[in-house]
Amino acid sequence: MAFKAFLIAIITAAAVASAVATDYMVGDNAGWKLEVNYTEWAKGKDFRVGDTLMFMYNKDYHNVAKVNGTDFQQCTASNASNLLRTGSDTITLATPGKKWYICGLSDHCSKGMKLVINVAAAPEAPAPSPTSAATNFSPLKSYAWILAAVLLTIMP
């Protein structure tokens, strides 16, 4: 039974994946640590309002400070209320504009443990066309539901 629920969840997620925000793990598999080029990591990524940044790190050696442009340039975390320390921090990008993050411990920021990104506004959804329910057809959703029904009938 749990397997059927898992399959339905996967199929549903695939059907609506294009409408979901993107989750970015900062540094990819390396995570948030020294000796990672975060400028290169961010290059080519299209950060949007609603996306999330996931900072994964050893909390005994690092932290994440949300800072302003001046603090970023000076590698200082002047506002302790913007300091994250769990080792697994998720930040939802809520507004467009530049966002700056540094490690506030020791000299980590000056050694390159810092990230600046530009967040664009979320894309606007196109206005629905005036169609009847009979012509409002999504092949992807239909195939997903058909596949789910077939799997549910053939699985014990």
Side-chain angles (χ1 to χ4, degrees):
M1 189 64 170
F3 185 69
K4 287 181 183 179
F6 174 74
L7 282 176
I8 292 171
I10 293 296
I11 292 167
T12 304
V16 297
S18 63
V20 177
T22 303
D23 296 328
Y24 293 98
M25 187 165 124
V26 176
D28 293 325
N29 291 335
W32 182 241
K33 66 179 189 175
L34 291 167
E35 300 178 5
V36 175
N37 185 332
Y38 295 103
T39 302
E40 281 298 313
W41 173 83
K43 192 178 290 183
K45 290 182 173 55
D46 183 25
F47 299 102
R48 298 279 179 166
V49 169
D51 290 350
T52 58
L53 297 177
M54 297 176 291
F55 289 85
M56 305 298 288
Y57 56 94
N58 184 327
K59 67 181 181 176
D60 295 330
Y61 300 105
H62 306 294
N63 61 30
V64 179
K66 295 188 265 185
V67 297
N68 60 34
T70 302
D71 282 357
F72 182 84
Q73 293 297 325
Q74 297 173 354
C75 280
T76 60
S78 62
N79 187 351
S81 67
N82 290 331
L83 196 60
L84 307 172
R85 307 170 200 204
T86 69
S88 177
D89 300 308
T90 301
I91 297 170
T92 300
L93 303 174
T95 58
K98 281 202 182 243
K99 309 295 177 201
W100 301 271
Y101 306 94
I102 66 171
C103 179
L105 293 179
S106 188
D107 58 351
H108 294 186
C109 175
S110 63
K111 289 183 175 179
M113 204 168 163
K114 57 186 179 177
L115 170 68
V116 59
I117 61 171
N118 191 30
V119 179
E124 291 187 29
S129 61
T131 60
S132 71
T135 60
N136 192 4
F137 173 72
S138 169
L140 181 59
K141 287 182 183 176
S142 296
Y143 293 135
W145 285 114
I146 291 169
L147 182 58
V150 169
L151 289 173
L152 286 174
T153 58
I154 63 173
M155 299 189 109

